[in-house]
Amino acid sequence: MRFNKLDLNLLVALNALLSERNISRAAEKLFLSQPATSGALSRLRAYFNDELLVPSGRQLMLTPRAKDLIEPVREVLMRIDTTIAAQPQFDPASETRVFTLLVSDYTTAVLIPKLLAELYREAPNMRISLRDQSERPSEVLEQGEADFLVIPSQYIAKDHPSAALFEEDYLCVTWEGNTRVQDRLSFDDYLACGHVIATFNNTTAAPLSTFDGWFMESFDVKRRVEVTAPSMTALPSMVVGTDRIATVHRRIALNAQATLPVKVWEPPPRIPRLVQMLQWHKHRSNDPAISWIREKFITAAASV
């Protein structure tokens, strides 16, 4: 299919090339061979009379023209997907589509099992793909590569609709044999302990990823971080047998208390509550399946 002499199939290739900036990764995304993807790039260069991607060392850089095309191409493809490809009617019982959710390990532990049970009751053939939150989860949502994003309120994308799911606060966790914290946890104790924290490749995947910055601004002191891990739910187990401390979501702390030799404490510093949000692409608001799953998210969150 052509429009104004442009093969519209090339728009899909162009979107992949602009987002990946790598021919091999774009080819994987398109389920094409590398030569076929290189051929698509050659045709795109001829049509736009621009190199679009140019070598710079071992990387490909976007030309100014390519940068100008990122948003319009993405917008066109999303509109096609939501107005033409979307099903006008939705029957949960017969739905077999795959829906992709971007979630943290915390969300996977406390919310996803309840959501899956909700979905299974009415849509047993629906398939769910859980993806760890990438370095740019909002960008993945924007590109249409995910149907839903579950993320703290301070990180939601302003251009897309969202709904509040539930609130959460924090507790501190120490080993029951901790020699520094025994009867109470004071602010001085909190600072004296070595801290076990979650770190990720980005600042948007974890609710506590900016905790240290907030802590510094509020108290003008810095925690002594002794262990970092790429998982929030694993932190309580990492204080066992040590005098260290972890600051985690209340639900994680209470679950750990039921299975591990740990104590939980109200944190001496007053920590702002977390509001966990659900977000979806603005062009998919009218998709009946998206609307239905959104309601199931809210129902599941009410029982968290």
Side-chain angles (χ1 to χ4, degrees), residues 113-123 292 296 299-300 303:
K114 297 180 183 296
L115 173 68
L116 294 180
E118 284 286 332
L119 297 178
Y120 187 77
R121 277 192 283 271
E122 297 180 52
W292 185 82
K296 295 303 176 184
T299 300
S303 64

Side-chain angles (χ1 to χ4, degrees), residues 36-172:
T37 305
S38 296
L41 177 57
S42 296
R43 282 180 283 163
L44 287 163
R45 284 168 168 167
Y47 180 84
F48 288 104
N49 192 28
D50 188 275
E51 286 296 299
L52 299 176
L53 291 96
V54 294
S56 176
R58 295 184 177 181
Q59 298 180 328
L60 292 176
M61 304 294 291
L62 300 185
T63 65
R65 175 66 168 137
K67 291 178 182 178
D68 290 340
L69 288 170
I70 293 175
E71 292 302 323
V73 169
R74 185 182 296 166
E75 184 81 5
V76 166
L77 292 177
M78 283 299 300
R79 285 189 178 275
I80 291 173
D81 181 59
T82 55
T83 59
I84 297 177
Q87 300 177 11
Q89 296 181 339
F90 171 67
D91 176 19
S94 59
E95 182 59 69
T96 60
R97 273 191 287 172
V98 178
F99 294 89
T100 300
L101 319 179
L102 289 180
V103 292
S104 66
D105 66 324
Y106 162 67
T107 300
T108 301
V110 304
L111 176 61
I112 294 303
K114 297 180 183 296
L115 173 68
L116 294 180
E118 284 286 332
L119 297 178
Y120 187 77
R121 277 192 283 271
E122 297 180 52
N125 300 313
M126 179 183 290
R127 292 171 290 166
I128 302 298
S129 174
L130 301 177
R131 286 180 54 184
D132 189 20
Q133 291 176 344
S134 67
E135 294 185 10
R136 299 177 298 276
S138 295
E139 185 175 317
V140 174
L141 181 74
E142 177 72 34
Q143 292 173 353
E145 296 177 4
D147 297 292
F148 290 102
L149 169 62
V150 181
I151 199 165
S153 58
Q154 61 265 43
Y155 300 125
I156 61 172
K158 304 302 181 184
D159 296 333
H160 298 284
S162 61
L165 291 176
F166 61 91
E167 294 188 5
E168 176 68 289
D169 55 8
Y170 300 92
L171 289 174
C172 295

Side-chain angles (χ1 to χ4, degrees), residues 14-26:
L14 178 58
N15 184 58
L17 287 162
L18 294 178
S19 61
E20 296 298 330
R21 306 182 189 190
N22 180 285
I23 292 176
S24 297
R25 289 199 301 269

